[in-house]
């Protein structure tokens, strides 16, 4: 049998990766039809403290009983990354089969089991299950305080009876609600063995809601009128602020530039009599290539890739792929799209590096590939170790780590290298309207507010002010139990963020050049990306003022992964700010006569 050409290997891998990676994301859950008495799958997913969304454990890590051998559900990559560990639940809910206080299983809790249940009840543990891919959840028990000031006298009760109310439309399951019955309680206050019967009741009701709309219930939570008012207020507030401030800056900028152009375009004899000043004076230095150009090109390539990733994620969100509780869809999409867009990073970085007359393009491509993935890998390694120590579901199994490594080795790295080769072979020269002088001009002393850090603070504040209201809802969704589905508004906010970042970076670049400071390359990238630092500062505020998260694991996960996300925003917005500044600088120096 003839072997296929080696050049077809990579496209084949990409095609297979698309089929097995993207197809599960696009599929809209199960479309099961049932007959009377058919077993409808009920899976127990995880348990954990309500205020610590990252700290979750397997359902049977707690001393629950089971009426049959526990079977694990095979899960996709995104589900594992999401911390889902689905196993067969002890309750049997046949289609249209009603039950009344039926015993699911019976277990004698030892003193250690009682102490464990008491501990998790005191920490507001909840459980999560899936019935025909519909999520259900509830609390494990309650603590009765009744005005008791001494915690040692609190009473602890375990809920041992669940009431399932299921809605159906013909042969399909549409909705399920689970309630805990306050009349069925097991007292776990004392350290003694307890015999517990886990019982449940099932009631079926018919509904007219079609199967295609059964997930709308969950998205309506974030579309309530009072929530929409806040979101639209956020949009209007951002737009008004942006229009006022950017309009103010644009007016000043255009007036100054117009006056500069008139002055510099005046007849040559008059110009010779006057000494050049401002940004015109440094035309021989403004396109002098910066220091550490390989790192600058790598940051530009990584930022461009992350921007492309964000655009694709928003496109998928707007077409309805990330409907509520589509387990792992977002994580799968992030992994797939990041891998397939790595060629963009390699091409952008390598082509720009070669334009800056760089020679070691191989090292530049390697630096581009590790600039974002390197810190992410270090953070993941530490946090995964913490999760393993806690025996939490956030700890990735060895097999999943191998799969991610293979994706990186067989898809991400080859595409990155191919992009780098394509960028190197482009062989385009850097388009500089002015010739660069042999020796750099000395930069005059600057006031403190014209230095890098104060400029970064000014550059980051305006874009952050346009998004900070929406940030709360995103944080409450990612690090809480709110549901966020208003992706259209989020897309508008993202667009505002991009526009404001580009404009404020251009404005600060002009003021820097007007002060005869020609080292704008790194300054524009740092100013553009400074919004990421403001977002991380907001993380501190959210953690201590707006959330009830606690414990070493949850704290490390929150600040660790948010550091990676904010670093990604830094690279993405930095690349946008740099591109906008480069376009602006080329434009203004092309409009004057440079010797």
């Amino acid at each position: 049998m003839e072997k296929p050409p080696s050049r077809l290997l990579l496209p084949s891998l990409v095609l297979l990766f698309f089929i097995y990676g993207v197809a599960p994301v696009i599929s809209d859950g199960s479309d099961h039809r049932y007959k009377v008495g058919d077993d409808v799958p009920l899976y127990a997913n995880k348990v954990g403290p309500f205020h610590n969304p990252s700290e979750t454990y397997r359902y049977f890590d707690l001393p629950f009983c089971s009426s049959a051998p526990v079977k694990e559900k095979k899960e996709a990559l995104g589900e594992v990354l999401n911390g889902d560990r689905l196993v067969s639940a002890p309750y049997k809910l046949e289609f249209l089969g009603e039950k009344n206080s039926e015993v699911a299983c019976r277990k004698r809790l030892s003193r250690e089991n009682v102490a464990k249940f008491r501990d998790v009840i005191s920490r507001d543990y909840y459980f999560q299950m899936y019935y025909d891919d519909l999520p259900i959840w509830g609390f494990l028990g309650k603590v009765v305080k009744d005005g008791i000031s001494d915690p040692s006298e609190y009473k602890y009760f375990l809920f041992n009876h669940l009431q399932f109310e299921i809605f159906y439309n013909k042969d399909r399951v549409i909705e399920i609600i689970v309630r805990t019955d306050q009349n069925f309680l097991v007292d776990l206050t004392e350290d003694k063995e307890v015999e517990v019967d886990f019982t449940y009741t099932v009631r079926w009701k018919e509904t007219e809601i079609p199967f295609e709309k059964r997930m709308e219930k969950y998205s309506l939570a974030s579309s309530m009128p009072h929530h929409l008012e806040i979101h639209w207020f956020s949009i209007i507030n951002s737009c008004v602020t942006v229009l006022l401030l950017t309009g103010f800056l644009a007016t000043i900028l255009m007036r100054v530039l117009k006056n500069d152009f008139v002055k510099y375009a005046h007849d040559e004899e008059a110009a010779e009599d006057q000494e050049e000043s401002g940004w015109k004076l440094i035309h021989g230095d403004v396109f002098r290539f910066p220091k550490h150009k390989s790192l600058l090109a790598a940051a530009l390539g990584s930022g461009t890739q992350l921007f492309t990733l964000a655009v694709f994620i928003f496109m998928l969100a707007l077409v309805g792929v990330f409907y509520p509780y589509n387990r792992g869809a977002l994580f799968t999409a992030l992994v797939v799209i990041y891998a397939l867009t790595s060629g963009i990073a390699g091409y952008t970085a390598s082509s720009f590096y070669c334009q800056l007359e760089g020679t070691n393009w191989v090292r530049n491509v390697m630096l581009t590939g590790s600039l974002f993935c390197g810190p992410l890998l270090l953070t993941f390694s530490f946090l995964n170790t913490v999760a393993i120590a806690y025996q939490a579901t956030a700890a990735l199994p060895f097999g999943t780590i191998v799969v991610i490594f293979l994706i990186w080795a067989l898809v991400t790295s080859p595409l990155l290298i191919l992009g780098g080769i394509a960028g190197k072979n482009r062989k385009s020269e850097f388009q500089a309207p002015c010739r660069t002088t042999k020796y750099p001009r000395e930069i005059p002393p600057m006031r403190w507010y014209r230095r890098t850090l104060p400029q970064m603070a000014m550059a980051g504040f305006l874009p952050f002010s346009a998004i900070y209201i929406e940030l709360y809802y995103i944080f409450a969704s990612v690090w809480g139990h709110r549901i966020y589905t208003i992706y259209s508004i989020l897309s508008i906010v993202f667009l505002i963020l991009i526009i404001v970042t580009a404009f404020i970076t251009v404005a600060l670049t002009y003021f820097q050049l007007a002060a005869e400071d020609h080292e704008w390359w790194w300054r524009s990238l740092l100013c553009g990306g400074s919004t990421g630092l403001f977002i991380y500062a907001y993380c501190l505020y959210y953690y201590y003022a707006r959330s009830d998260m606690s414990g070493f694991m949850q704290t490390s996960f929150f600040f660790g992964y948010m550091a990676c996300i904010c670093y990604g925003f830094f690279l993405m917005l930095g690349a946008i700010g740099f591109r906008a500044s480069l376009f602006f600088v080329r434009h203004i120096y092309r409009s004057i006569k440079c010797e």
Side-chain angles (χ1 to χ4, degrees):
M1 184 176 178
E2 185 179 357
K3 293 183 179 180
S6 58
R7 66 177 179 271
L8 296 179
L9 178 60
L10 185 62
S12 301
L13 285 172
V14 172
L15 179 61
L16 288 173
F17 188 54
F18 178 85
I19 294 173
Y20 291 106
V22 178
V25 177
I26 298 177
S27 64
D28 189 17
S30 64
D31 188 11
H32 295 156
R33 298 175 183 269
Y34 301 101
K35 298 178 181 178
V36 178
D38 283 354
D39 285 332
V40 183
L42 174 65
Y43 293 104
N45 186 15
K46 52 192 176 184
V47 295
F50 182 77
H51 299 296
N52 289 355
S54 300
E55 186 184 347
T56 55
Y57 305 93
R58 293 175 180 268
Y59 183 80
F60 286 105
D61 283 349
L62 295 181
F64 289 111
C65 63
S66 180
S67 57
V70 177
K71 297 180 181 179
E72 294 190 0
K73 182 182 182 296
K74 189 176 180 180
E75 293 166 319
L77 174 63
E79 294 175 318
V80 178
L81 294 175
N82 195 39
D84 292 334
R85 304 292 186 270
L86 274 66
V87 296
S88 55
Y91 309 100
K92 304 299 179 185
L93 279 60
E94 296 86 2
F95 189 69
L96 297 182
E98 297 204 350
K99 298 180 180 180
N100 187 26
S101 299
E102 181 157 329
V103 177
C105 57
R106 180 179 289 110
K107 182 168 185 176
R108 187 169 187 83
L109 301 180
S110 65
R111 297 176 65 180
E112 291 77 12
N113 296 152
V114 170
K116 192 167 188 176
F117 267 125
R118 193 164 56 233
D119 176 59
V120 300
I121 291 171
S122 67
R123 297 174 60 194
D124 290 329
Y125 264 55
Y126 70 98
F127 67 84
Q128 186 186 46
M129 298 183 183
Y130 282 93
Y131 184 67
D132 195 44
D133 280 346
L134 293 171
I136 51 177
W137 51 89
F139 286 100
L140 300 182
K142 67 175 183 178
V143 182
V144 178
K145 301 179 181 179
D146 290 335
I148 302 173
S149 58
D150 187 2
S152 63
E153 296 181 5
Y154 292 165
K155 292 185 178 182
Y156 300 86
F157 295 94
L158 174 69
F159 298 138
N160 66 319
H161 184 81
L162 297 181
Q163 295 177 340
F164 295 98
E165 188 175 2
I166 309 172
F167 297 85
Y168 71 98
N169 187 346
K170 297 179 181 178
D171 55 356
R172 288 173 166 177
V173 177
I174 303 300
E175 183 181 350
I176 181 171
I177 300 172
V178 64
R179 299 183 180 90
T180 53
D181 197 330
Q182 301 291 327
N183 296 320
F184 292 81
L185 301 173
V186 179
D187 192 348
L188 301 181
T189 306
E190 299 180 10
D191 278 326
K192 64 179 182 180
E193 294 187 354
V194 179
E195 189 83 20
V196 180
D197 288 339
F198 290 92
T199 59
Y200 63 109
T201 297
V202 184
R203 295 285 182 267
W204 288 84
K205 295 183 179 180
E206 193 169 5
T207 181
E208 298 298 324
I209 300 174
F211 180 83
E212 293 75 19
K213 295 185 177 181
R214 68 175 190 164
M215 285 294 177
E216 287 187 0
K217 164 191 172 182
Y218 306 101
S219 59
L220 289 175
S222 60
S223 302
M224 298 295 285
H226 61 281
H227 285 304
L228 282 177
E229 287 178 5
I230 297 174
H231 287 290
W232 282 114
F233 172 77
S234 169
I235 292 290
I236 295 172
N237 174 66
S238 301
C239 289
V240 171
T241 304
V242 168
L243 287 175
L244 288 175
L245 293 176
T246 54
F248 176 71
L249 288 172
T251 303
I252 295 177
L253 205 58
M254 295 312 296
R255 279 190 175 183
V256 172
L257 277 176
K258 185 178 180 181
N259 293 335
D260 286 347
F261 286 140
V262 170
K263 183 174 66 175
Y264 294 141
H266 203 260
D267 61 277
E268 295 182 3
E269 293 181 1
E272 288 176 359
D273 295 337
Q274 296 178 354
E275 186 179 352
E276 292 181 338
S277 62
W279 57 272
K280 173 68 167 59
L281 184 63
I282 57 173
H283 65 82
D285 296 279
V286 73
F287 293 106
R288 188 180 306 280
F289 295 151
K291 300 177 182 178
H292 313 295
K293 54 189 175 185
S294 180
L295 182 59
L296 179 67
L300 185 62
S302 296
T304 305
Q305 179 190 6
L306 292 173
F307 175 69
T308 308
L309 170 65
V311 170
F312 275 108
I313 290 294
F314 275 108
M315 290 171 60
L316 290 175
L318 290 174
V319 298
V321 171
F322 305 129
Y323 60 88
Y325 298 104
N326 184 6
R327 296 190 306 275
L330 178 59
F331 288 102
T332 303
L334 287 172
V335 172
V336 170
I337 297 173
Y338 184 83
L340 295 179
T341 55
S342 58
I344 295 175
Y347 177 82
T348 304
S350 179
S351 61
F352 189 72
Y353 178 67
C354 292
Q355 287 180 30
L356 299 183
E357 300 177 359
T359 55
N360 198 343
W361 69 273
V362 176
R363 186 178 67 178
N364 174 252
V365 170
M366 294 175 62
L367 180 61
T368 304
S370 59
L371 192 62
F372 180 73
C373 287
L376 181 62
L377 175 63
L378 293 176
T379 305
F380 163 76
S381 300
F382 170 72
L383 296 180
N384 202 58
T385 304
V386 172
I388 292 173
Y390 274 73
Q391 297 182 339
T393 59
L396 294 189
F398 178 74
T400 304
I401 297 176
V402 171
V403 169
I404 294 177
F405 173 77
L406 290 176
I407 291 173
W408 175 82
L410 299 178
V411 181
T412 306
S413 296
L415 289 177
L416 177 72
I417 294 170
L418 287 177
I421 294 173
K424 177 186 74 75
N425 294 334
R426 185 185 175 192
K427 295 181 179 178
S428 62
E429 296 183 358
F430 185 80
Q431 300 174 1
C434 303
R435 287 182 298 177
T436 302
T437 57
K438 187 175 182 180
Y439 299 104
R441 181 182 180 86
E442 183 179 357
I443 299 174
M446 299 289 169
R447 293 183 178 272
W448 66 270
Y449 55 83
R450 288 188 178 273
R451 295 175 184 171
T452 303
L453 289 179
Q455 293 285 295
M456 288 177 63
M458 285 188 281
F461 176 76
L462 181 58
F464 176 77
S465 66
I467 65 170
Y468 79 98
I469 295 179
E470 207 66 24
L471 272 182
Y472 168 75
Y473 290 95
I474 299 172
F475 274 57
S477 175
V478 176
W479 300 105
H481 301 280
R482 282 179 178 265
I483 300 172
Y484 193 98
T485 57
I486 315 178
Y487 299 115
S488 55
I489 291 181
L490 188 60
S491 301
I492 296 173
V493 172
F494 180 72
L495 182 62
I496 292 173
L497 174 65
I498 298 302
I499 294 173
V500 178
T501 299
F503 190 90
I504 193 67
T505 309
V506 165
L508 291 177
T509 299
Y510 170 76
F511 294 139
Q512 180 183 359
L513 297 178
E516 300 179 10
D517 182 357
H518 54 80
E519 294 181 349
W520 61 273
W521 303 73
W522 275 107
R523 178 78 66 85
S524 63
L525 187 138
L526 293 174
C527 287
S530 60
T531 305
L533 302 179
F534 277 82
I535 297 176
Y536 198 68
Y538 180 82
C539 293
L540 295 170
Y541 165 76
Y542 181 84
Y543 181 85
Y544 290 106
R546 304 302 295 269
S547 78
D548 294 314
M549 291 184 281
S550 61
F552 177 74
M553 177 181 169
Q554 181 60 45
T555 303
S556 59
F557 264 69
F558 178 77
F559 287 107
Y561 280 126
M562 282 310 303
C564 293
I565 293 172
C566 294
Y567 176 54
F569 267 93
F570 179 86
L571 292 174
M572 179 183 72
L573 297 177
I576 291 169
F578 176 80
R579 284 292 188 190
S581 295
L582 179 60
F583 173 81
F584 170 76
V585 172
R586 278 174 172 164
H587 177 73
I588 63 172
Y589 281 96
R590 193 179 290 120
S591 303
I592 64 172
K593 298 177 181 179
C594 298
E595 297 179 359

